[in-house]
Amino acid sequence: MIILGIDPGLTVTGWGVVAKSGSRLSHVANGQIRTDNKATMAERLVELDSALAAVIDIYKPDSGAVEEVFVNVNPQSTLKLGQARGVAMVAVARAGIPVAEYPTKVIKKALVGTGGAEKQQIQHMLKILLPGVQLAGEDASDALAVAITHANMLGNHR
């Protein structure tokens, strides 16, 4: 089974793809999508949608998962994040792929054992779980964490 994890953001959206075979996970790919901050909101959302559609077309995931929005101090940032998240969910769903959602604390707990884990702890655990992985950046590592969380949750439901 191929699983796509997405860490949505308007400026940078991370994506990560893992393969699950039984209880074994392996890294397939990861990357980051950067939108043009000089473009209009609508143009940036289209850019994000197109880039995610390309990732989906290349890796053909069986299932997808998106990190839930956390509320920022700045309501404008939360709104932009929510719009990017909506585009990510639509891109996956449009391809006929089921989409799950996970809060940040659940993802951190699934990988590190505590919902208050730091980014460095997540990246360290990714290197243990996916030996040899080359992370494309923080957002890509967060997306791989989403994919691994989903892979583990799928195991609990089958």
Side-chain angles (χ1 to χ4, degrees):
M1 172 178 273
I2 303 297
I3 299 162
L4 171 64
I6 300 173
D7 177 34
L10 188 60
T11 304
V12 182
T13 289
W15 59 270
V17 180
V18 297
K20 179 177 180 170
S21 178
S23 62
R24 189 189 137 122
L25 285 177
S26 57
H27 174 258
V28 175
N30 71 91
Q32 297 185 140
I33 300 163
R34 295 184 184 278
T35 62
D36 180 358
N37 62 3
K38 291 179 178 65
T40 67
M41 174 64 80
E43 291 167 336
R44 292 175 83 179
L45 294 173
V46 167
E47 191 178 346
L48 176 57
D49 181 56
S50 296
L52 284 171
V55 169
I56 290 165
D57 190 49
I58 292 167
Y59 297 104
K60 300 182 181 7
D62 301 298
S63 192
V66 179
E67 186 170 354
E68 284 186 1
V69 172
F70 62 90
V71 178
N72 289 298
V73 175
N74 179 345
Q76 215 42 41
S77 295
T78 303
L79 185 60
K80 288 176 182 177
L81 177 59
Q83 290 173 309
R85 186 173 172 278
V87 165
M89 292 182 73
V90 166
V92 177
R94 184 188 313 112
I97 301 163
V99 186
E101 305 168 57
Y102 298 100
T104 304
K105 286 187 177 213
V106 169
I107 296 164
K108 289 178 176 184
K109 187 166 182 161
L111 254 73
V112 182
T114 175
E118 300 290 325
K119 286 200 180 278
Q120 296 85 352
Q121 290 173 292
I122 296 215
Q123 291 172 2
H124 176 72
M125 189 56 75
L126 286 172
K127 290 178 180 178
I128 292 170
L129 294 171
L130 306 171
V133 68
Q134 295 295 314
L135 300 171
E138 268 190 15
D139 298 285
S141 66
D142 289 350
L144 281 171
V146 173
I148 290 169
T149 299
H150 188 51
N152 291 336
M153 295 297 181
L154 284 172
N156 295 339
H157 297 328
R158 291 193 169 192

